[in-house]
């Protein structure tokens, strides 16, 4: 029976197992050859004493090139000197696909490589357990997120990525040729998830790609990213902030529970944050920041400003009550102080992970805000129609999967959190 | 406490509940007004005897326009003449957002509408329970799929949608302007999920958008669709066909279990299919078809040909062993009969739902097949590199979510299975 290396336990001692994997290392001691087989879950030592294994098996193992793919069938023997306390004495050793040499990237990490080189040969880079572990955690994050929302009566939706309208004005969009027309790649499901509130869906979530033609290359921007989006009717910004902090806690719990090994590979000690997260208003944040950085009221915080703020804040926290002019047109202004709105960002340190708000649900106010931001209501045809025939009050947010992984796993570059990142320069692989 | 209309039961009789929803109908009998409130889960009768409710509440309910959004707080009373056996006597009746009149689309379905009109005003169309039900089932299908794969050790991945290489040659791709370069929208995660096999991920799945610039408008084609893709190492076409039929059965079980109400709204009697699904080779299918339709050996089946075949086949079935030349370059030819390959389609009736194969994992054979199909190996740089340094044997498939929903729910047009479909003409909403 086929097993992952990590599935071999004392119960297998004396039994025959089948392993598939890659040749991590071969040590040839003459009459004795040690092969380290690697699969995604761990390593196994294959021991070949010349006198105890078939000659063809011995020869194959001795000569196999590193990173070749093999099938090994053999008996598991207790061996305390082996890294996992066992070894396999193979009766079969089949090379399923021989690797060329030299390798363009060292999988054992004895030779460190630049990120660009790693990404150029990403399939080899991902064979490193430390790198693979990020995507094992990512998969768990996605699964936990879906469980969380399905259990709470949310409907999972897929909204179009090819669109005719810009969500927040025309900037930062990738143009696409849609037959004889111009279209764009959607930068956010915003207009569609709001439309679904008008459709009576009550609560929706989507996990999907978003596309932003941002010119600048930074360690926290991607041109194609994965976003977790929700929209909820009959609630306000406080209601969806509660969902957000509960989700973050749930994700941490699930990752701690199910990814211990992978967190160890990453050398990350993950702690489950406590609810509720700290809340700080924009005005309060501005006051802290202004001791060191000059930011005029109404403007977004610069990176240096956020780094000042981060020195004062522990763990995850919300910045609330943003200036209306600093947020998109659909954010709901406070009734009694229209220059600020019911908007929030979820932060960890200086990193913005999510952004959300109670939305405007009244047609007239929405048109007014669209115009105030210098946009043309005419270009929001289908979206605006949804506000005329029974749009409920609603709120929502978008959370960047890669940003969340950066925060959880303390990654220094957002590209580490994507299998095949897209940035200003990178379109391949 | 807020409840959905469907959550009100005998236990609530005599208690106060809060309902949010849309005005489905108002019947004014003078001294008595009946309002039917609709939410996504059902209906509730709001009864307003003039003498028993506050005057302002009575006036508001009497005058509220259809499809307006309301909040109703009131006592639940047993009332056998009401559709659900209860009525609400409101003490609060707040109009949260008044709908304009006339409505561009009738939500009560008394006036039937063309699909195009329905899609133009999709937010109103989706308020119909029969239409909403499709997306409730869709959400369940997605959730069941993820559960199925997470339980089986698959890693959920997201591969890029902006790519530089065409998967299967240059046709049917939407071009995009990626800064100063040309790029494309990916038509399938094929090359990336195979690359992840070389990365040692062993088993991956992805649920994400795929984009095809197909010129023809049919009832079963979309230009943007959602695809469930898997790729598995150390197995062959039979191994992944087994996953596919198990998944289909699991999805049916879960939908039958959790979506009874929605299936009733759709008037669909869903039966769980039995495993294993029937398997028929291409040659056998061709023989059946050729009694009525002339298809030369090696060609794909036309729609009329598939309709002939469908008359002979019950439920879900596989067509296997396709001519190598009819399938993409990465399909593995049989060793002993190279003109056919280890490829399969999953069918229901005349509808193709999924397509898969054991893939070629040997570099030389792959290059040979790329050339044989008139493609240039040079344009497959990063993909081919992955085959040189330890690519395991592997197999996989892609399953169209919308096609599956068509098959399960007996939908006549694939556009019914998408919230906001994209086709040759439609880019809005």
């Amino acid at each position: 029976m086929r097993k992952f290396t990590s599935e071999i336990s004392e119960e297998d001692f004396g039994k025959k197992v089948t392993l598939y994997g890659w040749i991590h290392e071969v040590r040839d001691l003459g009459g004795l050859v040690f092969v380290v087989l690697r699969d995604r879950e761990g390593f196994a030592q294959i021991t070949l004493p010349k006198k105890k294994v078939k000659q063809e098996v011995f020869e194959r193992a001795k000569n196999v090139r590193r990173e070749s793919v093999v099938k090994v069938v053999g008996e598991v023997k207790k061996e305390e000197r082996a890294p996992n306390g066992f070894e396999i004495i193979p009766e079969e050793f089949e090379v399923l696909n021989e690797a060329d040499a030299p390798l363009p990237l060292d999988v054992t990490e004895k030779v460190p490589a630049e990120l660009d080189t790693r990404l150029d040969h990403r399939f080899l880079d991902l064979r490193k357990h430390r790198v693979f572990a990020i995507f094992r955690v990512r998969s768990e994050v996605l699964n936990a997120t879906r469980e969380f929302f399905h259990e709470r009566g949310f409907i999972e939706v897929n909204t179009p990525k090819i669109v005719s309208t810009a969500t927040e004005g025309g900037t930062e969009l990738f143009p696409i040729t849609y037959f004889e027309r111009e279209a764009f790649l959607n930068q956010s499901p915003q207009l569609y998830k709001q439309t679904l509130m008008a459709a009576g869906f009550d609560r929706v979530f989507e996990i999907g790609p978003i596309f932003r033609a941002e010119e600048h290359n930074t360690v926290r921007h991607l041109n194609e990213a994965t976003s977790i989006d929700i929209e909820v009717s009959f609630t306000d910004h406080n209601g969806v902030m509660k969902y957000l902090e509960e989700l973050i806690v749930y994700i941490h719990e699930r990752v701690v529970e199910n990814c211990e090994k992978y967190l160890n590979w990453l050398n990350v000690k993950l702690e489950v944050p406590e609810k509720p997260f700290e809340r700080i208003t924009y005005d309060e944040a501005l006051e802290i920041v202004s001791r060191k950085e000059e930011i005029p009221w109404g403007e977004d915080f610069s990176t240096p400003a956020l780094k000042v703020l981060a020195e004062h804040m522990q763990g995850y926290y919300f910045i609330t009550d943003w200036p209306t002019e600093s947020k998109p047109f659909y954010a709901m202004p406070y009734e009694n102080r229209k220059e600020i709105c019911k908007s929030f960002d979820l932060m960890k340190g200086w990193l913005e992970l999510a952004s959300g708000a109670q939305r405007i649900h009244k047609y007239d106010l929405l048109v007014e805000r669209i115009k105030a931001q210098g946009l043309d209501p005419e270009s929001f045809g289908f979206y605006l129609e949804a506000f005329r025939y029974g749009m409920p009050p609603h709120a929502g947010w978008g959370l960047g999967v890669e940003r969340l992984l950066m925060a959880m796993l303390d990654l220094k570059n957002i590209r580490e959190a994507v299998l095949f990142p897209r940035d200003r320069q990178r379109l391949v692989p």
Side-chain angles (χ1 to χ4, degrees), chain A:
Chain A
M1 198 190 119
R2 188 214 166 172
K3 294 203 171 199
F4 280 122
T5 52
S6 60
E7 293 171 326
I8 294 176
S9 68
E10 286 187 19
E11 285 171 26
D12 297 298
F13 291 174
K15 289 186 193 153
K16 203 158 78 173
V17 295
T18 301
L19 295 177
Y20 290 102
W22 284 258
I23 300 297
H24 192 68
E25 230 182 309
V26 181
R27 271 180 300 146
D28 181 357
L29 310 178
L32 180 67
V33 171
F34 291 109
V35 171
V36 180
L37 176 146
R38 187 193 66 244
D39 62 24
R40 79 174 198 204
E41 301 297 343
F43 298 100
Q45 178 178 302
I46 318 293
T47 307
L48 300 105
K50 191 169 184 174
K51 292 180 180 164
K52 288 191 183 166
V53 296
K54 277 181 269 181
Q55 197 192 335
E56 56 171 53
V57 164
F58 184 81
E59 291 299 325
R60 271 191 219 139
K62 187 179 153 79
N63 296 312
V64 67
R65 281 203 289 259
R66 277 175 52 206
E67 296 305 322
S68 297
V69 182
V70 295
K71 176 187 180 184
V72 173
V73 183
E75 193 183 310
V76 183
K77 280 185 63 177
K78 181 176 173 146
E79 171 51 70
E80 274 164 12
R81 285 165 299 175
N84 299 317
F86 70 86
E87 61 183 9
I88 313 274
I89 314 293
E91 59 185 55
E92 258 185 65
F93 190 100
E94 192 183 344
V95 180
L96 300 173
N97 216 351
E98 180 88 19
D100 278 4
L103 296 164
L105 191 78
D106 176 29
V107 177
T108 60
E109 297 201 77
K110 282 167 192 160
V111 188
E114 294 292 324
L115 183 59
D116 253 345
T117 312
R118 290 175 44 207
L119 293 176
D120 283 342
H121 310 284
R122 189 61 156 164
F123 74 99
L124 284 171
D125 183 50
L126 290 165
R127 289 186 194 169
K128 300 169 194 164
H129 281 160
R130 195 184 47 79
V131 177
F132 169 74
I134 296 168
F135 297 95
R136 186 58 193 74
V137 171
R138 184 179 163 120
S139 179
E140 189 70 28
V141 167
L142 296 175
N143 199 28
T145 301
R146 292 208 182 77
E147 265 185 29
F148 181 89
F149 287 118
H150 277 286
E151 276 167 15
R152 282 159 183 78
F154 281 70
I155 294 168
E156 181 166 4
V157 296
N158 304 98
T159 62
K161 304 309 157 204
I162 302 178
V163 298
S164 64
T165 316
T167 306
E168 302 175 18
T171 58
E172 301 189 343
L173 287 171
F174 287 114
I176 126 171
T177 308
Y178 193 76
F179 302 111
E180 55 292 317
R181 277 180 286 178
E182 186 181 58
F184 303 99
L185 288 182
N186 211 0
Q187 69 199 107
S188 147
Q190 184 66 33
L191 306 190
Y192 289 96
K193 59 184 186 160
Q194 288 193 258
T195 302
L196 291 171
M197 296 302 97
F201 275 43
D202 202 87
R203 280 163 248 173
V204 300
F205 78 99
E206 175 166 15
I207 305 182
I210 54 168
F211 306 92
R212 302 202 174 172
E214 286 181 359
E215 287 275 350
H216 45 299
N217 248 336
T218 80
V219 294
R220 62 182 208 283
H221 286 94
L222 290 165
N223 294 106
E224 179 177 343
T226 303
S227 180
I228 300 169
D229 272 274
I230 78 163
E231 204 67 29
V232 186
S233 289
F234 307 113
T235 192
D236 61 10
H237 52 303
N238 291 311
V240 293
M241 282 163 81
K242 199 150 176 291
Y243 277 123
L244 184 49
E245 67 190 2
E246 280 173 7
L247 172 68
I248 298 286
V249 169
Y250 185 74
I251 285 173
H252 279 70
E253 285 170 351
R254 286 288 310 275
V255 169
V256 166
E257 199 178 311
N258 296 330
C259 295
E260 194 189 344
K261 178 169 86 181
Y262 311 108
L263 291 172
N264 287 338
W265 285 354
L266 283 159
N267 203 18
V268 167
K269 188 152 172 38
L270 190 67
E271 275 172 31
V272 178
E274 277 184 32
K275 288 177 294 190
F277 298 164
E278 202 174 335
R279 281 146 167 82
I280 178 174
T281 66
Y282 172 87
D283 285 357
E284 289 163 351
L286 192 67
E287 203 192 308
I288 293 170
V289 163
S290 65
R291 292 172 210 161
K292 285 197 182 166
E293 288 279 329
E294 191 107 3
I295 305 273
W297 192 94
E299 280 191 16
D300 204 351
F301 296 113
S302 61
T303 301
L306 288 173
K307 286 186 174 171
V308 173
L309 186 61
E311 287 166 25
H312 294 76
M313 306 300 293
Q314 299 281 315
Y316 293 95
Y317 63 99
F318 286 107
I319 306 177
T320 64
D321 301 352
W322 287 77
T324 306
E325 62 191 282
S326 74
K327 288 290 179 184
F329 62 80
Y330 45 75
M332 176 71 96
Y334 278 91
E335 291 78 7
N336 54 355
R337 203 184 148 198
K338 294 195 190 308
E339 70 277 17
I340 60 169
C341 63
K342 299 178 179 178
S343 186
F344 59 86
D345 283 3
L346 175 69
M347 308 289 299
K348 190 175 180 195
W350 62 283
L351 200 62
E352 179 199 325
L353 306 179
S355 198
Q358 181 180 337
R359 323 299 190 181
I360 294 172
H361 62 285
K362 297 282 191 177
Y363 180 85
D364 292 340
L365 179 57
L366 187 61
V367 171
E368 183 190 313
R369 292 294 311 144
I370 288 174
K371 286 181 186 165
Q373 299 220 348
L375 300 169
D376 181 5
E378 296 266 315
S379 62
F380 291 91
F382 84 85
Y383 173 69
L384 280 175
E385 191 192 49
F387 289 78
R388 288 181 55 202
Y389 301 100
M391 173 64 92
H394 61 285
W397 46 253
L399 166 67
V401 172
E402 292 83 10
R403 292 276 182 100
L404 177 60
L405 284 165
M406 276 184 89
M408 290 174 69
L409 304 180
D410 200 22
L411 305 175
K412 301 305 176 206
N413 192 319
I414 197 165
R415 289 162 186 76
E416 298 272 5
V418 196
L419 288 168
F420 304 100
R422 292 291 173 260
D423 63 28
R424 187 75 182 75
Q425 272 79 43
R426 183 171 291 279
L427 194 51
V428 176

